[in-house]
């Protein structure tokens, strides 16, 4: 029998950690709790989570710093919780390597759906490796490396997933709901802000001129189209 997925919950609010431990354990997940970023990193020295759920506002090592520390050694999904819903904080967390963002207070059904969607990404990483060579791009899905016109580009896990999904459908208009469902799961198909943030980040890293994109083209009111170049 396979071991249940391991989830590390990081939050300095005891009420939140109690609720999350109870609800996630009831779903069959193996849960450990840390009340600080430092404790989370200590736990990870001898225990490997499949998913991290972390608050942003914590003393000393906050959620953004924890994301950066984890991303330096691992591609495991990170789901961020915060009472703050301003776009600046969302962008900061996502750019630090977070995969998903849920604002407190949240519904447990929504959170569990996000957990399932992010754990599915872990499962798909066991699929056969492949290299996508198209136009100006070379994308090694096994090594998770991207080069554009022979220039290596460093992407966060979610940026990489989004690029791979579009690169496998060159020239095709992909609507917002399809992209959101494929990358973030069916519960996120109305979160167009996710796409705005991630497409903006991808353009900054991939495009010669992010203000005049030629690789990731906006189809107004519909979605995006990937044009890999000649």
């Amino acid at each position: 029998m396979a071991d249940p997925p391991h989830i590390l919950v990081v939050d300095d609010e005891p009420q939140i950690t109690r609720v999350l431990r109870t609800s996630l354990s009831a779903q069959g997940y193996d849960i450990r709790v840390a009340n600080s970023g430092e404790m989370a990193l200590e736990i990870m020295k001898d225990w490997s989570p499949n998913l991290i759920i972390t608050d942003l506002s914590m003393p000393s090592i906050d959620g953004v710093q924890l994301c950066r520390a984890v991303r330096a050694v691992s591609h495991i999904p990170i789901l961020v919780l915060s009472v703050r819903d301003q776009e600046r904080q969302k962008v900061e967390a996502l750019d630090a390597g977070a995969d998903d963002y849920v604002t407190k207070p949240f519904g447990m059904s929504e959170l569990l759906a996000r957990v399932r969607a992010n754990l599915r990404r872990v499962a798909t990483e066991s699929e056969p490796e492949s290299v996508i060579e198209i136009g100006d791009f070379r994308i090694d899905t096994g090594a998770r490396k991207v080069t554009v016109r022979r220039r290596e580009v460093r992407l966060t896990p979610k940026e990489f997933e989004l690029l791979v999904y579009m690169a496998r459908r060159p020239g095709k208009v992909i609507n917002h709901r399809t992209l959101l469902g494929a990358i973030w799961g069916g519960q996120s198909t109305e979160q167009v802000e996710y796409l705005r943030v991630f497409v903006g980040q991808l353009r900054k890293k991939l495009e010669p001129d992010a203000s005049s994109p030629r690789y990731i083209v906006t189809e107004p009111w519909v979605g995006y189209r990937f044009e890999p170049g000649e």
Side-chain angles (χ1 to χ4, degrees):
M1 185 174 179
D3 291 335
H6 296 177
I7 299 179
L8 176 59
V9 175
V10 190
D11 200 309
D12 60 349
E13 296 183 46
Q15 181 179 355
I16 294 291
T17 56
R18 281 196 301 270
V19 169
L20 290 178
R21 182 195 288 274
T22 299
S23 299
L24 292 168
S25 296
Q27 299 296 313
Y29 299 121
D30 185 359
I31 308 301
R32 293 198 186 181
V33 170
N35 58 24
S36 68
E38 294 94 332
M39 182 181 294
L41 294 175
E42 281 297 315
I43 289 174
M44 290 180 66
K45 288 180 179 179
D46 57 11
W47 191 72
S48 299
N50 302 110
L51 171 73
I52 295 174
I53 301 175
T54 182
D55 188 28
L56 280 185
S57 301
M58 295 184 293
S60 189
I61 296 179
D62 64 16
V64 172
Q65 292 170 311
L66 178 61
C67 286
R68 294 194 181 109
V70 172
R71 281 291 165 259
V73 297
S74 174
H75 291 291
I76 62 173
I78 302 173
L79 176 62
V80 168
L81 305 177
S82 177
V83 295
R84 296 174 295 188
D85 59 0
Q86 294 87 353
E87 186 163 315
R88 184 177 64 82
Q89 280 81 17
K90 289 184 180 181
V91 172
E92 186 178 13
L94 296 170
D95 202 37
D99 296 281
D100 210 345
Y101 192 108
V102 177
T103 302
K104 298 177 183 177
F106 52 84
M108 189 54 62
S109 60
E110 177 189 3
L111 180 69
L112 290 172
R114 300 285 184 89
V115 167
R116 290 191 296 270
N118 280 281
L119 287 173
R120 280 197 295 271
R121 178 172 73 78
V122 178
T124 59
E125 288 183 349
S126 63
E127 294 176 352
E129 299 178 0
S130 63
V131 175
I132 302 169
E133 292 192 78
I134 184 170
D136 296 337
F137 290 75
R138 186 180 191 278
I139 306 170
D140 187 330
T141 62
R144 304 183 73 86
K145 289 185 178 180
V146 176
T147 56
V148 184
R149 304 184 73 175
R150 299 184 180 179
R151 173 178 63 91
E152 185 169 346
V153 180
R154 295 181 64 85
L155 302 180
T156 67
K158 225 56 175 180
E159 291 168 357
F160 184 85
E161 281 188 72
L162 183 58
L163 176 62
V164 167
Y165 188 88
M166 291 190 292
R168 285 177 170 156
R169 297 158 181 82
K172 179 181 179 181
V173 177
I174 309 172
N175 66 42
H176 297 135
R177 290 178 63 86
T178 297
L179 278 171
L180 287 163
I183 307 303
W184 286 278
Q187 298 295 316
S188 302
T189 54
E190 303 301 325
Q191 302 293 328
V192 178
E193 64 183 36
Y194 277 36
L195 281 179
R196 186 171 67 250
V197 169
F198 278 94
V199 168
Q201 292 175 178
L202 274 176
R203 283 172 169 165
K204 289 178 183 177
K205 296 179 180 183
L206 302 176
E207 302 277 1
D209 181 0
S211 65
S212 181
R214 69 186 193 191
Y215 295 131
I216 303 176
V217 181
T218 299
E219 294 291 338
W221 311 108
V222 179
Y224 298 94
R225 176 167 41 86
F226 181 71
E227 295 290 353
E230 299 296 332

